[in-house]
């Protein structure tokens, strides 16, 4: 059985879906899937569904939702399955546990690939790192939990996953910059800085890519757009690292040239 939450909620076995139509059972399944292999206590599940407005019938209603999910799992597994639905959506003392292989949930497949990419980058294997980061990012089919109502716990997971996704994207771009792919990155980075107008790391990457492509004036213009945005929105100046990167571009610092073995673009001029 597979379950996907990085985009629309999908899941099933043998072509038969296990995704309920009602919003609260969908929440339960999404939370159990993200934490596959871990027992989720009943109070935690109830907090996710109802927050502070918990009805008196919360426990009975939660048990009904679990039964609904198990009926869907039973139908998807089929009569010849080696495991029953109670083995897949298992009851543990004080909670419930979704027992599926970790890579059967797209979150865990993504995190495995992302971790392998970081390990490759740490040992200087940028080509391998870029490939693994791309594979990790391809697991995503849209925003996490896009069609799932999110309570307090799924909201935390949503923020964590989206931050992770952006971080892996940054790492993939840094690996590509180290591989001399600056010309290929300009279009992507131009779009990204427009979507994230206050994000320093993406602006630093865009500045480096433009500079290496012989577009120094556009690199400096990118810095000015960020500087103005930070001042208008937050009353802040760019960080010292980014200011030093701007000065390096103005001075044509050879350390900016493609092939320089350095870390992230924003860290090229860290103190």
């Amino acid at each position: 059985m597979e379950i996907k939450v990085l985009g629309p909620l999908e899941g099933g076995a043998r072509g038969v879906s296990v995704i309920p139509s009602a919003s609260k059972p969908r929440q339960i399944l999404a939370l159990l899937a993200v934490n596959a292999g871990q027992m989720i206590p009943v109070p935690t599940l109830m907090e996710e569904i109802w927050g502070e407005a918990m009805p008196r019938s919360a426990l009975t209603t939660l048990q009904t939702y679990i039964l609904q999910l198990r009926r869907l799992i039973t139908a998807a597994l089929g009569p010849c399955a080696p495991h029953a639905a109670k083995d897949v959506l298992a009851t543990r003392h004080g909670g419930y546990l979704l027992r599926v292989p970790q890579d059967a949930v797209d979150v865990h497949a993504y995190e495995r690939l992302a971790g392998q990419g970081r390990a490759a980058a740490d040992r200087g294997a940028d080509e391998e790192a870029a490939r693994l980061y791309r594979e990790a990012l391809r697991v995503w089919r849209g925003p996490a939990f896009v069609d799932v109502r999110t309570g307090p716990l799924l909201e935390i997971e949503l923020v964590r996953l989206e931050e992770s996704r952006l971080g892996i994207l940054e790492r993939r771009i840094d690996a590509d910059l180290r591989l001399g792919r600056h010309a290929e990155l300009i279009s992507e980075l131009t779009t990204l800085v427009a979507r994230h107008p206050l994000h320093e790391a993406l602006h630093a990457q865009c500045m480096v890519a433009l500079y290496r492509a012989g577009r120094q004036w556009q690199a400096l213009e990118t810095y000015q757009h960020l500087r103005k945005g930070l001042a208008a929105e937050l009353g802040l100046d760019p960080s010292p690292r980014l200011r030093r990167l701007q000065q390096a571009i103005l001075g044509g610092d050879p350390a900016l040239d493609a092939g320089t073995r350095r870390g992230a673009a924003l860290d090229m001029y860290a103190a």
Side-chain angles (χ1 to χ4, degrees), residues 11-269:
R14 305 183 308 115
V16 180
S17 176
V18 298
I19 306 301
S21 57
S23 64
K24 289 184 173 63
R26 291 168 71 88
Q27 275 181 273
I28 293 169
L29 182 60
L31 186 59
L32 288 168
V34 170
N35 295 280
Q38 301 178 46
M39 191 272 284
I40 305 298
V42 165
T44 300
L45 289 167
M46 293 194 296
E47 179 188 358
E48 169 61 29
I49 298 170
W50 291 290
E52 296 181 0
M54 203 169 297
R56 292 183 180 179
S57 61
L59 180 57
T60 302
T61 305
L62 174 63
Q63 291 168 343
T64 301
Y65 294 152
I66 295 294
L67 287 174
Q68 292 174 5
L69 289 170
R70 282 177 174 160
R71 289 192 193 104
L72 290 167
I73 293 170
T74 296
L77 293 176
C80 300
H83 303 292
K86 284 188 176 181
D87 297 321
V88 177
L89 179 43
T91 302
R92 291 291 182 267
H93 181 68
Y96 296 96
L97 166 74
L98 188 66
R99 296 179 61 198
V100 294
Q102 286 216 330
D103 261 19
V105 180
D106 59 355
V107 167
H108 302 294
Y110 157 74
E111 290 179 335
R112 174 181 58 78
L113 289 164
Q116 290 174 350
R118 285 191 291 267
D122 288 345
R123 62 175 184 270
D126 288 325
E127 190 74 56
E128 182 184 358
R131 176 182 61 79
L132 287 163
Y133 290 146
R134 281 190 173 82
E135 288 183 26
L137 292 166
R138 277 196 293 268
V139 174
W140 288 71
R141 298 163 295 114
F145 313 121
V146 67
D147 57 354
V148 177
R149 177 178 173 271
T150 55
L153 284 93
L154 281 180
E155 195 62 36
I156 291 170
E157 283 296 321
L158 175 61
V159 172
R160 181 186 72 82
L161 287 167
E162 292 294 348
E163 284 290 327
S164 173
R165 182 187 193 182
L166 187 56
I168 292 301
L169 177 60
E170 290 172 35
R171 285 173 173 268
R172 194 224 84 210
I173 292 169
D174 274 322
D176 282 335
L177 282 172
R178 289 193 295 270
L179 290 164
R181 295 171 179 162
H182 42 273
E184 303 165 40
L185 291 169
I186 289 172
S187 176
E188 179 184 12
L189 282 165
T190 301
T191 301
L192 285 169
V193 297
R195 288 179 183 170
H196 303 276
L198 305 181
H199 197 291
E200 283 206 347
L202 292 174
H203 280 74
Q205 291 172 330
C206 190
M207 290 164 65
V208 170
L210 287 165
Y211 175 82
R212 289 178 179 175
R215 295 156 68 172
Q216 182 186 31
W217 69 271
Q218 284 179 287
L220 296 170
E221 190 176 64
T222 298
Y223 173 85
Q224 292 301 332
H225 280 308
L226 175 63
R227 184 185 64 77
K228 291 174 183 176
L230 287 170
E233 294 293 326
L234 303 173
L236 297 175
D237 292 322
S239 69
R241 289 182 297 174
L242 201 67
R243 294 200 297 272
R244 285 192 287 268
L245 175 59
Q246 181 218 20
Q247 291 300 312
I249 290 172
L250 281 168
D253 190 336
L256 288 169
D257 294 342
T260 303
R261 299 298 304 177
R262 302 293 294 270
L266 188 58
D267 293 331
M268 292 179 73
Y269 293 90

